[in-house]
Amino acid sequence: MNRTPEDRIVELGLVLPDVVPPAGSFQPSVKSGPYVYTSGQLPIVNGKLVMTGKLGQTVTTQQAAELAAICALNALAAVRAEVRELSRVRRIVKVVGFVASVPDYSDQPAVVNGASDLLTEIFGRAGTHARSAIGVVALPRNAPVELELIAEIAD
């Protein structure tokens, strides 16, 4: 029996949430050709930002990696809303992670690993992707992490 990505999410003890409603004039995701592009997703659970602050100040790398995984789940919820089921994802193509951090913090890749590792656990080889991990001064709502992704969808 082939396990679906949704099955793997449940096996990991996680829940794929509903799509986080946009807090502005944009869509959570857009499908164009064989790709779904997500808007930036924050670590929101049940309508609430899980944590605020900056890396190197009030948020640890481990905490932020866990927040990045939440962002990835929210991004997958946005993808699923576009394509109805995650088994249509052929590949996660690109992940871009933004990490709110103090000027001398430089471990942004370890933070975004929280999302990358989760996507690989869910999709296997199809979850491996190109990636950027970018340090920024601030993110919306004082979130420590924001994540967007591009998924290729099978017909």
Side-chain angles (χ1 to χ4, degrees):
M1 178 177 150
N2 286 339
R3 296 178 326 196
T4 67
E6 286 90 343
D7 293 337
R8 289 188 204 105
I9 290 168
V10 170
E11 289 168 6
L12 292 168
L14 302 171
V15 175
L16 190 64
D18 292 331
V19 177
V20 175
S25 300
F26 62 91
Q27 295 298 312
S29 59
V30 173
K31 186 172 183 312
S32 181
Y35 300 100
V36 173
Y37 300 80
T38 71
S39 295
Q41 301 292 318
L42 300 178
I44 293 175
V45 174
N46 297 323
K48 294 189 168 68
L49 191 61
V50 174
M51 180 181 275
T52 60
K54 291 184 194 255
L55 278 288
Q57 193 172 62
T58 58
V59 180
T60 69
T61 300
Q62 180 58 41
Q63 288 170 320
E66 292 167 10
L67 297 172
I70 293 169
C71 294
L73 281 173
N74 288 337
L76 291 177
V79 169
R80 182 182 64 179
E82 288 290 332
V83 300
R84 295 181 309 283
E85 57 187 51
L86 292 178
S87 60
R88 293 191 56 212
V89 172
R90 178 176 285 153
R91 173 163 208 148
I92 303 298
V93 177
K94 174 85 177 188
V95 169
V96 180
F98 301 94
V99 181
S101 46
V102 298
D104 63 345
Y105 182 84
S106 61
D107 212 6
Q108 291 85 359
V111 170
V112 183
N113 279 347
S116 295
D117 293 346
L118 179 62
L119 292 167
T120 301
E121 286 185 76
I122 292 169
F123 293 101
R125 288 183 53 89
T128 60
H129 48 268
R131 187 182 88 181
S132 299
I134 304 163
V136 298
V137 171
L139 288 168
R141 299 172 60 185
N142 196 27
V145 182
E146 182 173 357
L147 186 99
E148 60 184 50
L149 63 78
I150 302 168
E152 181 182 7
I153 307 302
D155 291 332

